[in-house]
């Protein structure tokens, strides 16, 4: 996951990423760092919650320990009377964010790195929609970037940046569109009421 200098995520999105990725063995997962960054911005905005202040102070560490981040985040959530999202919602929001990152790619190497992460790591999802989307993206990765041990040129390289990005958008946009619709998100997550995203 990409480290961003400004907090693009809501607390709900960060909680969903944390829940979904906690059992996935992904190298360089930056969710803990993103949570600390969010806490720093909340403190700068005037939130003087003690657990939040401690959470933000973890930003002084080069690599905040995941268990420390989780501990102080849980304290903050209890103080605010907020709950963790369930695993279905977490998976759907994680996928929406991941697909949004694909749509922000401006070249094929950036897209390849993101697709490689999906292709080479196991994700456990309780939602068939998520599994189907990830499976399609894995297949696309092998179809577009595998050179068969040097026996062929990668199709993504041959088609050029503009054509590749157009193809990527065509693949990703239908999935992303559904996950960006509150009614679809509510239906897919099994939530009875409409969701504000």
């Amino acid at each position: 996951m990409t480290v961003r200098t400004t907090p693009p995520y809501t607390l709900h999105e960060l909680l969903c990423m944390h829940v979904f990725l906690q059992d996935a063995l992904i190298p360089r997962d930056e969710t803990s760092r993103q949570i600390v960054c969010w806490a720093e911005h909340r403190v700068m905005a005037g939130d003087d919650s003690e657990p939040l202040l401690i959470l933000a102070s973890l930003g002084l560490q080069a690599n905040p320990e995941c268990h420390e981040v989780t501990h102080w985040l849980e304290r903050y959530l209890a103080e605010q009377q907020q709950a963790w999202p369930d695993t279905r919602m977490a998976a759907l929001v994680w996928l929406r964010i991941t697909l949004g990152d694909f749509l922000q790619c401006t070249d094929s190497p950036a897209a390849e790195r993101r697709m490689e992460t999906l292709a080479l790591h196991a994700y456990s999802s309780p939602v068939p929609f998520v599994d189907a989307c990830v499976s399609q993206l894995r297949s696309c990765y092998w179809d577009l970037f595998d050179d068969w041990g040097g026996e062929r040129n990668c199709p993504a390289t041959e088609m050029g940046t503009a054509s590749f990005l157009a193809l990527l958008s065509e693949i990703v946009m239908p999935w992303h569109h559904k996950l960006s619709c509150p009614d679809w998100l509510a239906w897919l997550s099994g939530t009875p009421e409409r969701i504000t995203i």
Side-chain angles (χ1 to χ4, degrees):
M1 186 167 296
T2 306
V3 180
R4 300 174 185 172
T5 55
T6 58
Y9 303 123
T10 64
L11 177 58
H12 177 69
E13 289 172 328
L14 289 167
L15 293 175
C16 286
M17 287 190 290
H18 186 74
V19 167
F20 182 75
L21 295 173
Q22 68 183 348
D23 294 325
L25 299 176
I26 300 173
R28 299 173 58 85
D29 172 32
E30 297 291 345
T31 308
S32 290
R33 171 63 66 189
Q34 291 285 10
I35 291 169
V36 170
C37 180
W38 171 85
E40 290 171 346
H41 281 81
R42 290 291 305 150
V43 168
M44 296 299 287
D47 191 331
D48 61 355
S49 159
E50 182 179 350
L52 190 69
L53 289 168
I54 296 171
L55 184 58
S57 74
L58 298 177
L60 298 172
Q61 301 174 13
N63 295 299
E65 292 290 333
C66 182
H67 69 278
E68 284 186 84
V69 171
T70 301
H71 173 77
W72 291 108
L73 182 57
E74 285 177 342
R75 295 277 298 270
Y76 178 75
L77 293 175
E79 180 184 89
Q80 301 297 313
Q81 298 181 338
Q82 293 188 42
W84 289 92
D86 68 29
T87 56
R88 294 179 63 82
M89 178 60 69
L92 291 163
V93 171
W94 168 84
L95 181 60
R96 186 186 73 216
I97 291 167
T98 299
L99 296 177
D101 286 346
F102 278 120
L103 293 173
Q104 296 299 314
C105 290
T106 56
D107 56 39
S108 56
E112 180 180 8
R113 286 190 299 273
R114 288 185 169 96
M115 292 179 98
E116 183 180 45
T117 299
L118 286 180
L120 301 181
H121 297 92
Y123 296 89
S124 176
S125 166
V127 186
F129 181 93
V130 173
D131 295 336
C133 180
V134 170
S135 178
Q136 183 184 17
L137 289 171
R138 280 187 181 131
S139 294
C140 289
Y141 170 77
W142 295 116
D143 290 343
L144 294 170
F145 292 104
D146 189 7
D147 64 3
W148 297 355
E151 293 180 15
R152 70 169 186 162
N153 291 329
C154 296
T157 303
E158 291 186 336
M159 69 176 56
T161 299
S163 297
F164 169 75
L165 292 176
L167 175 62
L168 181 64
S169 179
E170 184 180 318
I171 294 165
V172 168
M173 191 58 79
W175 299 99
H176 188 266
H177 178 71
K178 286 180 174 63
L179 293 173
S180 299
C181 172
D183 291 328
W184 265 100
L185 198 59
W187 183 74
L188 289 166
S189 67
T191 305
E193 67 275 355
R194 195 171 194 268
I195 294 171
T196 302
I197 55 174

